[in-house]
Amino acid sequence: MAFSKLLAASLLASLLLLHLVDAADQSAIQGSLRQIDCNGACVARCRLSSRPRLCQRACGTCCRRCNCVPPGTYGNQEKCPCYASLTTHGGKPKCP
C-alpha cells in the first residue's frame, strides 16, 4: 500500500516536472518568433541612403522574409545571415 502511494506520488511529480519543462520550451520558442517592426527597422537602416524609398522597399521585403534587420546603416550583415543570403535574379545582394 505504501509502495503504491509512493509510486503514484513520484509519477505525479514527474508529470508536473515534464509539464513545467515543456511550458518553458514553448515560451522560449514564442519569444524567438516575435515579429519585429520592419518599418521602423528599415527607416533606421536606410536613413542615410541616397535613395531611401528604394532602400526601404528592399529592406522591408528582406525583413518580412527573415524577421531580422542588421544594426546600423551599412554592413553588419553577419548579425542576420538570412538577410545577407538573399540575392536578386542577377546574383547581387538584395538587401541593403
Side-chain angles (χ1 to χ4, degrees):
M1 180 78 170
F3 179 72
S4 63
K5 285 184 181 180
L6 180 63
L7 181 63
S10 64
L11 181 62
L12 184 63
S14 297
L15 289 175
L16 179 63
L17 182 64
L18 285 174
H19 178 71
L20 291 173
V21 168
D22 186 49
D25 286 345
Q26 289 297 324
S27 67
I29 290 170
Q30 288 174 352
S32 66
L33 295 178
R34 195 168 295 140
Q35 197 71 13
I36 68 167
D37 175 23
C38 288
N39 289 335
C42 288
V43 165
R45 178 85 175 162
C46 296
R47 74 178 180 267
L48 299 178
S49 174
S50 61
R51 299 179 69 188
R53 286 187 179 186
L54 180 65
C55 179
Q56 288 175 16
R57 189 175 67 220
C59 177
T61 300
C62 297
C63 178
R64 283 188 295 280
R65 288 185 187 169
C66 299
N67 194 36
C68 179
V69 175
T73 57
Y74 183 78
N76 300 317
Q77 292 194 355
E78 68 278 358
K79 304 281 184 183
C80 187
C82 171
Y83 190 95
S85 68
L86 295 177
T87 58
T88 63
H89 292 290
K92 295 180 180 179
K94 178 179 185 67
C95 307

